[in-house]
Amino acid sequence: MNASGISQAQLARDAGLSYAALHAWITGIRLPRPGSLVQMADGLESRSDALRQLAAQLRRAAERR
């Protein structure tokens, strides 16, 4: 998460999970259920899609100049 620049709170929000649950998994207090892992993956993919769309918009804007 540090390399991607996403915070625990942002990932939890994007994945539709509580911050407390995500923090407990990251710190090893609890283990996530398989469905929760899928939710995290979905949250990361949606962030990735949004970043790709933003990058495309920036490229189009640069081409117009």
Side-chain angles (χ1 to χ4, degrees):
M1 285 183 350
N2 290 339
S4 71
I6 186 173
S7 70
Q8 289 181 27
Q10 289 171 320
L11 176 57
R13 193 171 32 255
D14 289 350
L17 301 166
S18 73
Y19 171 81
L22 181 62
H23 183 72
W25 303 334
I26 290 171
T27 58
I29 295 170
R30 287 192 224 149
L31 294 176
R33 294 183 211 167
S36 298
L37 292 173
V38 170
Q39 278 183 267
M40 279 195 291
D42 290 346
L44 289 169
E45 285 176 347
S46 69
R47 177 170 283 278
S48 178
D49 288 342
L51 291 173
R52 272 195 288 274
Q53 290 174 5
L54 177 58
Q57 290 173 352
L58 291 171
R59 285 189 179 94
R60 284 193 297 272
E63 289 171 359
R64 283 181 268 177
R65 291 185 170 213

